[in-house]
Amino acid sequence: STGEVSNSSSPMTFTELFETLYETAIKCGISIFDFWNYTYGEIVDLINAYRENQEERTKERIRDNY
């Protein structure tokens, strides 16, 4: 269930938290080695930065097309 958030009422383990980020992190270009060596917060920051950069590139392409 990689990439899915559990609907159970019990708290997630650290492993489950990392597993929810794994697929997204790989898609964002984070290497497997780096993924397992970063903290949870660092991974979230990197994913957010990647998304912000992608949004900025999209805006630039839109501006360039007009």
Side-chain angles (χ1 to χ4, degrees):
S1 74
T2 301
E4 297 177 9
V5 176
S6 173
N7 289 331
S8 68
S9 59
S10 61
M12 295 178 82
T13 66
F14 282 111
T15 301
E16 290 169 333
L17 284 172
F18 274 87
E19 286 174 350
T20 62
L21 291 180
Y22 183 79
E23 187 176 336
T24 301
I26 298 304
K27 288 180 180 179
C28 290
I30 299 171
S31 75
I32 294 169
F33 176 81
D34 287 340
F35 178 84
W36 291 112
N37 285 290
Y38 285 133
T39 66
Y40 183 84
E42 289 169 330
I43 295 168
V44 170
D45 289 345
L46 289 166
I47 291 170
N48 288 335
Y50 177 86
R51 289 180 175 161
E52 289 172 14
N53 288 336
Q54 290 298 98
E55 288 175 15
E56 192 58 39
R57 286 188 198 126
T58 299
K59 290 176 185 176
E60 288 174 10
R61 283 195 300 265
I62 291 170
R63 280 192 300 266
D64 291 344
N65 287 332
Y66 288 102

Short mmCIF file of all heavy atoms in Angstrom, two decimals:
data_model
loop_
_atom_site.label_atom_id
_atom_site.label_comp_id
_atom_site.label_asym_id
_atom_site.label_seq_id
_atom_site.Cartn_x
_atom_site.Cartn_y
_atom_site.Cartn_z
N SER A 1 0.83 -1.20 0.00
CA SER A 1 0.00 0.00 0.00
C SER A 1 0.86 1.25 0.00
O SER A 1 0.55 2.22 0.64
CB SER A 1 -0.95 -0.03 1.19
OG SER A 1 -0.26 0.23 2.39
N THR A 2 1.95 1.24 -0.74
CA THR A 2 2.83 2.40 -0.82
C THR A 2 2.08 3.59 -1.41
O THR A 2 1.38 3.48 -2.38
CB THR A 2 4.06 2.07 -1.69
OG1 THR A 2 4.72 0.96 -1.11
CG2 THR A 2 4.99 3.25 -1.78
N GLY A 3 2.24 4.74 -0.77
CA GLY A 3 1.61 5.95 -1.26
C GLY A 3 0.21 6.17 -0.74
O GLY A 3 -0.42 7.15 -1.06
N GLU A 4 -0.32 5.23 0.04
CA GLU A 4 -1.66 5.36 0.56
C GLU A 4 -1.59 5.63 2.06
O GLU A 4 -0.74 5.12 2.76
CB GLU A 4 -2.45 4.07 0.32
CG GLU A 4 -2.64 3.77 -1.15
CD GLU A 4 -3.36 2.45 -1.37
OE1 GLU A 4 -3.85 1.87 -0.38
OE2 GLU A 4 -3.42 2.01 -2.51
N VAL A 5 -2.53 6.43 2.54
CA VAL A 5 -2.61 6.73 3.96
C VAL A 5 -3.61 5.78 4.58
O VAL A 5 -4.69 5.56 4.06
CB VAL A 5 -3.04 8.20 4.19
CG1 VAL A 5 -3.21 8.49 5.67
CG2 VAL A 5 -2.02 9.13 3.57
N SER A 6 -3.23 5.20 5.70
CA SER A 6 -4.09 4.25 6.39
C SER A 6 -5.31 4.95 6.98
O SER A 6 -5.20 6.05 7.51
CB SER A 6 -3.30 3.56 7.49
OG SER A 6 -4.15 2.76 8.28
N ASN A 7 -6.45 4.30 6.91
CA ASN A 7 -7.67 4.84 7.51
C ASN A 7 -7.92 4.28 8.90
O ASN A 7 -8.93 4.57 9.51
CB ASN A 7 -8.88 4.54 6.62
CG ASN A 7 -8.84 5.36 5.35
OD1 ASN A 7 -8.31 6.45 5.33
ND2 ASN A 7 -9.40 4.83 4.28
N SER A 8 -7.02 3.46 9.41
CA SER A 8 -7.21 2.88 10.73
C SER A 8 -7.07 3.96 11.79
O SER A 8 -6.43 4.98 11.60
CB SER A 8 -6.20 1.76 10.97
OG SER A 8 -4.90 2.28 11.07
N SER A 9 -7.66 3.69 12.96
CA SER A 9 -7.63 4.69 14.03
C SER A 9 -6.33 4.66 14.82
O SER A 9 -6.07 5.55 15.60
CB SER A 9 -8.82 4.47 14.97
OG SER A 9 -8.75 3.16 15.51
N SER A 10 -5.50 3.61 14.63
CA SER A 10 -4.25 3.54 15.37
C SER A 10 -3.20 4.44 14.71
O SER A 10 -3.20 4.63 13.50
CB SER A 10 -3.74 2.10 15.44
OG SER A 10 -3.51 1.61 14.14
N PRO A 11 -2.31 5.02 15.51
CA PRO A 11 -1.26 5.88 14.95
C PRO A 11 -0.34 5.10 14.01
O PRO A 11 -0.15 3.90 14.17
CB PRO A 11 -0.48 6.34 16.18
CG PRO A 11 -1.26 5.92 17.37
CD PRO A 11 -2.22 4.87 16.95
N MET A 12 0.20 5.81 13.05
CA MET A 12 1.11 5.19 12.10
C MET A 12 2.49 5.04 12.73
O MET A 12 2.91 5.89 13.51
CB MET A 12 1.22 6.04 10.82
CG MET A 12 -0.06 6.12 10.03
SD MET A 12 0.12 7.18 8.58
CE MET A 12 0.87 6.03 7.46
N THR A 13 3.18 3.99 12.35
CA THR A 13 4.56 3.83 12.78
C THR A 13 5.45 4.70 11.90
O THR A 13 5.03 5.17 10.84
CB THR A 13 5.02 2.36 12.64
OG1 THR A 13 5.03 2.01 11.25
CG2 THR A 13 4.12 1.42 13.43
N PHE A 14 6.71 4.89 12.31
CA PHE A 14 7.64 5.64 11.47
C PHE A 14 7.81 4.97 10.12
O PHE A 14 7.87 5.63 9.08
CB PHE A 14 9.00 5.80 12.15
CG PHE A 14 9.01 6.86 13.21
CD1 PHE A 14 9.15 6.53 14.55
CD2 PHE A 14 8.87 8.20 12.88
CE1 PHE A 14 9.15 7.50 15.53
CE2 PHE A 14 8.86 9.18 13.85
CZ PHE A 14 9.00 8.83 15.19
N THR A 15 7.87 3.66 10.13
CA THR A 15 8.00 2.93 8.86
C THR A 15 6.82 3.21 7.96
O THR A 15 7.00 3.47 6.76
CB THR A 15 8.13 1.41 9.11
OG1 THR A 15 9.28 1.18 9.93
CG2 THR A 15 8.28 0.64 7.81
N GLU A 16 5.62 3.19 8.50
CA GLU A 16 4.43 3.48 7.69
C GLU A 16 4.45 4.91 7.17
O GLU A 16 4.06 5.17 6.02
CB GLU A 16 3.16 3.24 8.52
CG GLU A 16 2.89 1.78 8.80
CD GLU A 16 1.79 1.55 9.82
OE1 GLU A 16 1.57 2.43 10.69
OE2 GLU A 16 1.17 0.49 9.75
N LEU A 17 4.91 5.86 8.00
CA LEU A 17 5.01 7.25 7.55
C LEU A 17 5.97 7.37 6.36
O LEU A 17 5.66 8.02 5.36
CB LEU A 17 5.50 8.15 8.69
CG LEU A 17 4.49 8.51 9.75
CD1 LEU A 17 5.17 9.23 10.91
CD2 LEU A 17 3.38 9.36 9.19
N PHE A 18 7.13 6.72 6.48
CA PHE A 18 8.10 6.77 5.39
C PHE A 18 7.56 6.09 4.14
O PHE A 18 7.75 6.57 3.02
CB PHE A 18 9.44 6.14 5.81
CG PHE A 18 10.35 7.11 6.51
CD1 PHE A 18 10.25 7.30 7.87
CD2 PHE A 18 11.29 7.83 5.80
CE1 PHE A 18 11.09 8.20 8.53
CE2 PHE A 18 12.12 8.74 6.44
CZ PHE A 18 12.02 8.92 7.80
N GLU A 19 6.86 4.97 4.32
CA GLU A 19 6.32 4.26 3.17
C GLU A 19 5.29 5.09 2.41
O GLU A 19 5.16 4.98 1.20
CB GLU A 19 5.71 2.93 3.60
CG GLU A 19 6.78 1.90 3.95
CD GLU A 19 6.21 0.61 4.52
OE1 GLU A 19 4.99 0.56 4.83
OE2 GLU A 19 7.00 -0.34 4.66
N THR A 20 4.55 5.95 3.12
CA THR A 20 3.56 6.80 2.45
C THR A 20 4.24 7.83 1.56
O THR A 20 3.65 8.31 0.59
CB THR A 20 2.63 7.54 3.45
OG1 THR A 20 3.41 8.40 4.26
CG2 THR A 20 1.84 6.58 4.30
N LEU A 21 5.50 8.17 1.86
CA LEU A 21 6.23 9.17 1.07
C LEU A 21 7.11 8.56 -0.02
O LEU A 21 7.54 9.26 -0.92
CB LEU A 21 7.15 9.99 1.98
CG LEU A 21 6.51 10.93 2.96
CD1 LEU A 21 7.57 11.65 3.77
CD2 LEU A 21 5.64 11.94 2.24
N TYR A 22 7.38 7.27 0.08
CA TYR A 22 8.40 6.64 -0.76
C TYR A 22 8.16 6.86 -2.26
O TYR A 22 9.04 7.37 -2.96
CB TYR A 22 8.48 5.14 -0.46
CG TYR A 22 9.56 4.43 -1.23
CD1 TYR A 22 10.88 4.51 -0.83
CD2 TYR A 22 9.26 3.70 -2.37
CE1 TYR A 22 11.89 3.89 -1.54
CE2 TYR A 22 10.26 3.07 -3.09
CZ TYR A 22 11.55 3.16 -2.67
OH TYR A 22 12.54 2.55 -3.37
N GLU A 23 6.99 6.49 -2.76
CA GLU A 23 6.71 6.60 -4.19
C GLU A 23 6.80 8.05 -4.66
O GLU A 23 7.39 8.33 -5.71
CB GLU A 23 5.33 6.03 -4.50
CG GLU A 23 5.04 5.96 -5.98
CD GLU A 23 3.70 5.31 -6.27
OE1 GLU A 23 3.20 4.52 -5.44
OE2 GLU A 23 3.16 5.60 -7.35
N THR A 24 6.25 8.96 -3.90
CA THR A 24 6.30 10.39 -4.26
C THR A 24 7.74 10.88 -4.28
O THR A 24 8.14 11.61 -5.19
CB THR A 24 5.46 11.22 -3.28
OG1 THR A 24 4.12 10.75 -3.31
CG2 THR A 24 5.51 12.69 -3.64
N ALA A 25 8.52 10.47 -3.29
CA ALA A 25 9.92 10.91 -3.21
C ALA A 25 10.70 10.43 -4.43
O ALA A 25 11.47 11.20 -5.02
CB ALA A 25 10.56 10.39 -1.93
N ILE A 26 10.51 9.19 -4.82
CA ILE A 26 11.21 8.65 -6.00
C ILE A 26 10.80 9.43 -7.25
O ILE A 26 11.63 9.78 -8.08
CB ILE A 26 10.92 7.14 -6.15
CG1 ILE A 26 11.44 6.37 -4.94
CG2 ILE A 26 11.51 6.60 -7.44
CD1 ILE A 26 12.89 6.53 -4.61
N LYS A 27 9.51 9.72 -7.39
CA LYS A 27 9.01 10.49 -8.54
C LYS A 27 9.59 11.90 -8.55
O LYS A 27 9.70 12.52 -9.60
CB LYS A 27 7.49 10.54 -8.54
CG LYS A 27 6.86 9.22 -8.90
CD LYS A 27 5.35 9.33 -8.87
CE LYS A 27 4.71 8.01 -9.23
NZ LYS A 27 3.23 8.07 -9.20
N CYS A 28 9.96 12.42 -7.38
CA CYS A 28 10.54 13.76 -7.28
C CYS A 28 12.05 13.74 -7.49
O CYS A 28 12.70 14.78 -7.38
CB CYS A 28 10.22 14.37 -5.92
SG CYS A 28 8.48 14.79 -5.72
N GLY A 29 12.62 12.57 -7.76
CA GLY A 29 14.04 12.49 -8.06
C GLY A 29 14.93 12.24 -6.85
O GLY A 29 16.15 12.35 -6.96
N ILE A 30 14.35 11.91 -5.72
CA ILE A 30 15.15 11.59 -4.54
C ILE A 30 15.63 10.15 -4.69
O ILE A 30 14.82 9.25 -4.90
CB ILE A 30 14.33 11.76 -3.25
CG1 ILE A 30 13.85 13.21 -3.11
CG2 ILE A 30 15.13 11.33 -2.03
CD1 ILE A 30 12.84 13.44 -2.00
N SER A 31 16.93 9.94 -4.60
CA SER A 31 17.46 8.59 -4.76
C SER A 31 17.03 7.71 -3.59
O SER A 31 16.74 8.20 -2.50
CB SER A 31 18.99 8.61 -4.85
OG SER A 31 19.55 8.83 -3.58
N ILE A 32 16.99 6.41 -3.84
CA ILE A 32 16.63 5.46 -2.78
C ILE A 32 17.59 5.59 -1.61
O ILE A 32 17.17 5.62 -0.45
CB ILE A 32 16.62 4.02 -3.34
CG1 ILE A 32 15.52 3.89 -4.38
CG2 ILE A 32 16.44 3.00 -2.23
CD1 ILE A 32 15.58 2.61 -5.19
N PHE A 33 18.88 5.71 -1.89
CA PHE A 33 19.87 5.86 -0.83
C PHE A 33 19.59 7.10 0.01
O PHE A 33 19.56 7.05 1.24
CB PHE A 33 21.28 5.93 -1.42
CG PHE A 33 22.34 6.18 -0.39
CD1 PHE A 33 22.84 5.14 0.38
CD2 PHE A 33 22.83 7.46 -0.17
CE1 PHE A 33 23.82 5.37 1.35
CE2 PHE A 33 23.81 7.70 0.79
CZ PHE A 33 24.30 6.64 1.55
N ASP A 34 19.39 8.23 -0.68
CA ASP A 34 19.12 9.47 0.06
C ASP A 34 17.82 9.38 0.84
O ASP A 34 17.74 9.86 1.97
CB ASP A 34 19.06 10.66 -0.91
CG ASP A 34 20.42 11.05 -1.43
OD1 ASP A 34 21.44 10.69 -0.80
OD2 ASP A 34 20.47 11.72 -2.48
N PHE A 35 16.78 8.79 0.24
CA PHE A 35 15.49 8.67 0.92
C PHE A 35 15.65 8.05 2.30
O PHE A 35 15.14 8.56 3.29
CB PHE A 35 14.53 7.82 0.08
CG PHE A 35 13.20 7.62 0.74
CD1 PHE A 35 12.20 8.56 0.63
CD2 PHE A 35 12.95 6.48 1.50
CE1 PHE A 35 10.98 8.38 1.26
CE2 PHE A 35 11.73 6.28 2.13
CZ PHE A 35 10.74 7.24 2.01
N TRP A 36 16.39 6.95 2.38
CA TRP A 36 16.51 6.24 3.65
C TRP A 36 17.51 6.91 4.59
O TRP A 36 17.61 6.52 5.75
CB TRP A 36 16.86 4.78 3.43
CG TRP A 36 15.69 4.06 2.82
CD1 TRP A 36 15.62 3.54 1.56
CD2 TRP A 36 14.42 3.82 3.42
NE1 TRP A 36 14.38 2.99 1.34
CE2 TRP A 36 13.62 3.15 2.47
CE3 TRP A 36 13.87 4.11 4.67
CZ2 TRP A 36 12.31 2.76 2.74
CZ3 TRP A 36 12.56 3.72 4.93
CH2 TRP A 36 11.80 3.05 3.97
N ASN A 37 18.23 7.93 4.12
CA ASN A 37 19.17 8.64 4.99
C ASN A 37 18.66 10.01 5.42
O ASN A 37 19.25 10.62 6.31
CB ASN A 37 20.53 8.75 4.30
CG ASN A 37 21.26 7.44 4.33
OD1 ASN A 37 21.70 6.98 5.37
ND2 ASN A 37 21.35 6.79 3.17
N TYR A 38 17.59 10.51 4.81
CA TYR A 38 16.99 11.77 5.22
C TYR A 38 16.00 11.53 6.35
O TYR A 38 15.45 10.44 6.50
CB TYR A 38 16.22 12.43 4.07
CG TYR A 38 17.06 13.07 3.00
CD1 TYR A 38 16.81 12.82 1.66
CD2 TYR A 38 18.09 13.94 3.32
CE1 TYR A 38 17.57 13.43 0.66
CE2 TYR A 38 18.85 14.55 2.33
CZ TYR A 38 18.58 14.29 1.01
OH TYR A 38 19.33 14.88 0.03
N THR A 39 15.73 12.58 7.11
CA THR A 39 14.66 12.51 8.10
C THR A 39 13.33 12.69 7.39
O THR A 39 13.27 13.15 6.24
CB THR A 39 14.80 13.62 9.17
OG1 THR A 39 14.60 14.90 8.53
CG2 THR A 39 16.15 13.56 9.87
N TYR A 40 12.27 12.35 8.08
CA TYR A 40 10.92 12.52 7.53
C TYR A 40 10.71 13.98 7.12
O TYR A 40 10.24 14.26 6.01
CB TYR A 40 9.88 12.10 8.58
CG TYR A 40 8.47 12.18 8.09
CD1 TYR A 40 7.90 11.15 7.35
CD2 TYR A 40 7.68 13.30 8.37
CE1 TYR A 40 6.60 11.22 6.90
CE2 TYR A 40 6.37 13.38 7.92
CZ TYR A 40 5.84 12.33 7.19
OH TYR A 40 4.55 12.42 6.74
N GLY A 41 11.07 14.92 7.99
CA GLY A 41 10.91 16.34 7.70
C GLY A 41 11.70 16.79 6.48
O GLY A 41 11.22 17.61 5.69
N GLU A 42 12.91 16.27 6.34
CA GLU A 42 13.73 16.62 5.17
C GLU A 42 13.08 16.12 3.88
O GLU A 42 13.08 16.83 2.86
CB GLU A 42 15.14 16.03 5.31
CG GLU A 42 15.97 16.71 6.38
CD GLU A 42 17.25 15.98 6.70
OE1 GLU A 42 17.31 14.73 6.57
OE2 GLU A 42 18.22 16.66 7.08
N ILE A 43 12.53 14.93 3.92
CA ILE A 43 11.87 14.38 2.73
C ILE A 43 10.66 15.23 2.36
O ILE A 43 10.46 15.58 1.19
CB ILE A 43 11.46 12.91 2.95
CG1 ILE A 43 12.70 12.03 3.11
CG2 ILE A 43 10.61 12.41 1.78
CD1 ILE A 43 12.42 10.64 3.62
N VAL A 44 9.86 15.58 3.35
CA VAL A 44 8.69 16.43 3.10
C VAL A 44 9.13 17.77 2.51
O VAL A 44 8.54 18.25 1.54
CB VAL A 44 7.87 16.63 4.39
CG1 VAL A 44 6.80 17.70 4.22
CG2 VAL A 44 7.24 15.31 4.84
N ASP A 45 10.18 18.37 3.05
CA ASP A 45 10.70 19.64 2.52
C ASP A 45 11.14 19.49 1.07
O ASP A 45 10.86 20.36 0.24
CB ASP A 45 11.87 20.15 3.37
CG ASP A 45 11.44 20.65 4.73
OD1 ASP A 45 10.22 20.89 4.95
OD2 ASP A 45 12.33 20.81 5.60
N LEU A 46 11.86 18.42 0.76
CA LEU A 46 12.33 18.19 -0.61
C LEU A 46 11.17 17.99 -1.58
O LEU A 46 11.18 18.53 -2.70
CB LEU A 46 13.27 16.99 -0.67
CG LEU A 46 14.64 17.20 -0.03
CD1 LEU A 46 15.36 15.87 0.17
CD2 LEU A 46 15.48 18.14 -0.90
N ILE A 47 10.16 17.23 -1.17
CA ILE A 47 8.98 17.03 -2.01
C ILE A 47 8.26 18.35 -2.25
O ILE A 47 7.88 18.68 -3.38
CB ILE A 47 8.03 15.98 -1.40
CG1 ILE A 47 8.68 14.59 -1.47
CG2 ILE A 47 6.67 15.99 -2.09
CD1 ILE A 47 7.95 13.52 -0.68
N ASN A 48 8.09 19.14 -1.20
CA ASN A 48 7.44 20.45 -1.35
C ASN A 48 8.23 21.38 -2.26
O ASN A 48 7.65 22.08 -3.09
CB ASN A 48 7.21 21.10 0.02
CG ASN A 48 6.11 20.41 0.80
OD1 ASN A 48 5.22 19.78 0.23
ND2 ASN A 48 6.18 20.51 2.11
N ALA A 49 9.55 21.38 -2.12
CA ALA A 49 10.39 22.22 -2.98
C ALA A 49 10.29 21.77 -4.44
O ALA A 49 10.20 22.60 -5.34
CB ALA A 49 11.85 22.16 -2.52
N TYR A 50 10.27 20.46 -4.66
CA TYR A 50 10.13 19.93 -6.02
C TYR A 50 8.80 20.40 -6.63
O TYR A 50 8.77 20.87 -7.77
CB TYR A 50 10.19 18.40 -5.99
CG TYR A 50 9.96 17.76 -7.33
CD1 TYR A 50 11.03 17.59 -8.22
CD2 TYR A 50 8.70 17.34 -7.73
CE1 TYR A 50 10.84 17.01 -9.46
CE2 TYR A 50 8.49 16.77 -8.97
CZ TYR A 50 9.56 16.60 -9.83
OH TYR A 50 9.36 16.03 -11.06
N ARG A 51 7.73 20.28 -5.86
CA ARG A 51 6.40 20.71 -6.35
C ARG A 51 6.38 22.20 -6.66
O ARG A 51 5.81 22.63 -7.67
CB ARG A 51 5.33 20.34 -5.35
CG ARG A 51 5.08 18.86 -5.29
CD ARG A 51 4.01 18.50 -4.30
NE ARG A 51 3.71 17.08 -4.37
CZ ARG A 51 3.10 16.41 -3.41
NH1 ARG A 51 2.71 17.02 -2.32
NH2 ARG A 51 2.86 15.12 -3.54
N GLU A 52 6.98 23.00 -5.79
CA GLU A 52 7.03 24.45 -6.03
C GLU A 52 7.82 24.76 -7.30
O GLU A 52 7.42 25.63 -8.09
CB GLU A 52 7.64 25.16 -4.83
CG GLU A 52 6.75 25.17 -3.61
CD GLU A 52 7.44 25.72 -2.37
OE1 GLU A 52 8.52 26.34 -2.49
OE2 GLU A 52 6.89 25.53 -1.27
N ASN A 53 8.94 24.08 -7.50
CA ASN A 53 9.74 24.28 -8.71
C ASN A 53 8.96 23.88 -9.95
O ASN A 53 9.03 24.57 -10.98
CB ASN A 53 11.05 23.50 -8.64
CG ASN A 53 12.03 24.09 -7.66
OD1 ASN A 53 11.97 25.27 -7.34
ND2 ASN A 53 12.94 23.26 -7.15
N GLN A 54 8.23 22.76 -9.88
CA GLN A 54 7.42 22.33 -11.02
C GLN A 54 6.34 23.35 -11.34
O GLN A 54 6.08 23.65 -12.50
CB GLN A 54 6.78 20.96 -10.74
CG GLN A 54 7.76 19.82 -10.72
CD GLN A 54 8.46 19.63 -12.04
OE1 GLN A 54 9.58 20.08 -12.24
NE2 GLN A 54 7.80 18.99 -12.97
N GLU A 55 5.69 23.90 -10.31
CA GLU A 55 4.67 24.92 -10.52
C GLU A 55 5.26 26.15 -11.18
O GLU A 55 4.66 26.74 -12.08
CB GLU A 55 4.01 25.30 -9.20
CG GLU A 55 3.11 24.24 -8.63
CD GLU A 55 2.56 24.58 -7.25
OE1 GLU A 55 2.65 25.76 -6.84
OE2 GLU A 55 2.04 23.67 -6.60
N GLU A 56 6.45 26.55 -10.73
CA GLU A 56 7.11 27.73 -11.31
C GLU A 56 7.47 27.49 -12.78
O GLU A 56 7.29 28.36 -13.62
CB GLU A 56 8.35 28.10 -10.50
CG GLU A 56 8.93 29.44 -10.86
CD GLU A 56 7.95 30.59 -10.69
OE1 GLU A 56 7.17 30.60 -9.73
OE2 GLU A 56 7.96 31.50 -11.56
N ARG A 57 7.97 26.29 -13.09
CA ARG A 57 8.29 25.96 -14.49
C ARG A 57 7.05 25.97 -15.35
O ARG A 57 7.08 26.44 -16.49
CB ARG A 57 8.96 24.59 -14.56
CG ARG A 57 10.38 24.59 -14.09
CD ARG A 57 11.04 23.24 -14.37
NE ARG A 57 12.23 23.12 -13.54
CZ ARG A 57 12.48 22.12 -12.73
NH1 ARG A 57 11.67 21.10 -12.64
NH2 ARG A 57 13.56 22.10 -12.00
N THR A 58 5.95 25.48 -14.82
CA THR A 58 4.69 25.48 -15.57
C THR A 58 4.25 26.91 -15.86
O THR A 58 3.86 27.24 -16.98
CB THR A 58 3.59 24.72 -14.79
OG1 THR A 58 4.01 23.37 -14.61
CG2 THR A 58 2.27 24.75 -15.52
N LYS A 59 4.34 27.78 -14.85
CA LYS A 59 3.97 29.19 -15.04
C LYS A 59 4.87 29.85 -16.08
O LYS A 59 4.40 30.63 -16.90
CB LYS A 59 4.06 29.94 -13.71
CG LYS A 59 2.99 29.56 -12.73
CD LYS A 59 3.20 30.26 -11.39
CE LYS A 59 2.21 29.80 -10.36
NZ LYS A 59 2.44 30.39 -9.03
N GLU A 60 6.16 29.53 -16.05
CA GLU A 60 7.10 30.10 -17.04
C GLU A 60 6.74 29.64 -18.45
O GLU A 60 6.78 30.44 -19.39
CB GLU A 60 8.53 29.71 -16.70
CG GLU A 60 9.08 30.41 -15.50
CD GLU A 60 10.46 29.90 -15.09
OE1 GLU A 60 11.08 29.13 -15.85
OE2 GLU A 60 10.92 30.29 -13.99
N ARG A 61 6.41 28.37 -18.61
CA ARG A 61 6.03 27.86 -19.94
C ARG A 61 4.77 28.53 -20.44
O ARG A 61 4.66 28.86 -21.62
CB ARG A 61 5.85 26.33 -19.90
CG ARG A 61 7.16 25.57 -19.88
CD ARG A 61 6.97 24.10 -20.20
NE ARG A 61 6.07 23.42 -19.27
CZ ARG A 61 6.45 22.73 -18.21
NH1 ARG A 61 7.74 22.62 -17.91
NH2 ARG A 61 5.58 22.14 -17.43
N ILE A 62 3.82 28.74 -19.53
CA ILE A 62 2.58 29.42 -19.92
C ILE A 62 2.88 30.84 -20.36
O ILE A 62 2.40 31.31 -21.40
CB ILE A 62 1.55 29.40 -18.77
CG1 ILE A 62 1.06 27.97 -18.55
CG2 ILE A 62 0.39 30.36 -19.05
CD1 ILE A 62 0.23 27.79 -17.29
N ARG A 63 3.73 31.55 -19.59
CA ARG A 63 4.10 32.92 -19.96
C ARG A 63 4.84 32.96 -21.30
O ARG A 63 4.63 33.84 -22.10
CB ARG A 63 4.97 33.55 -18.87
CG ARG A 63 4.22 34.07 -17.68
CD ARG A 63 5.09 34.93 -16.78
NE ARG A 63 6.24 34.23 -16.26
CZ ARG A 63 6.31 33.60 -15.09
NH1 ARG A 63 5.26 33.62 -14.30
NH2 ARG A 63 7.39 33.00 -14.70
N ASP A 64 5.71 31.98 -21.51
CA ASP A 64 6.49 31.93 -22.76
C ASP A 64 5.62 31.66 -23.97
O ASP A 64 5.96 32.05 -25.08
CB ASP A 64 7.58 30.87 -22.67
CG ASP A 64 8.69 31.25 -21.69
OD1 ASP A 64 8.76 32.44 -21.30
OD2 ASP A 64 9.46 30.35 -21.32
N ASN A 65 4.49 31.02 -23.77
CA ASN A 65 3.60 30.68 -24.88
C ASN A 65 2.69 31.82 -25.29
O ASN A 65 2.00 31.74 -26.28
CB ASN A 65 2.77 29.44 -24.55
CG ASN A 65 3.61 28.18 -24.58
OD1 ASN A 65 4.61 28.10 -25.30
ND2 ASN A 65 3.22 27.19 -23.79
N TYR A 66 2.69 32.90 -24.50
CA TYR A 66 1.83 34.04 -24.83
C TYR A 66 2.59 35.26 -25.17
O TYR A 66 3.66 35.49 -25.12
CB TYR A 66 0.86 34.34 -23.68
CG TYR A 66 -0.22 33.29 -23.56
CD1 TYR A 66 -0.16 32.30 -22.57
CD2 TYR A 66 -1.27 33.27 -24.46
CE1 TYR A 66 -1.17 31.33 -22.47
CE2 TYR A 66 -2.27 32.31 -24.36
CZ TYR A 66 -2.20 31.35 -23.36
OH TYR A 66 -3.19 30.41 -23.27
#
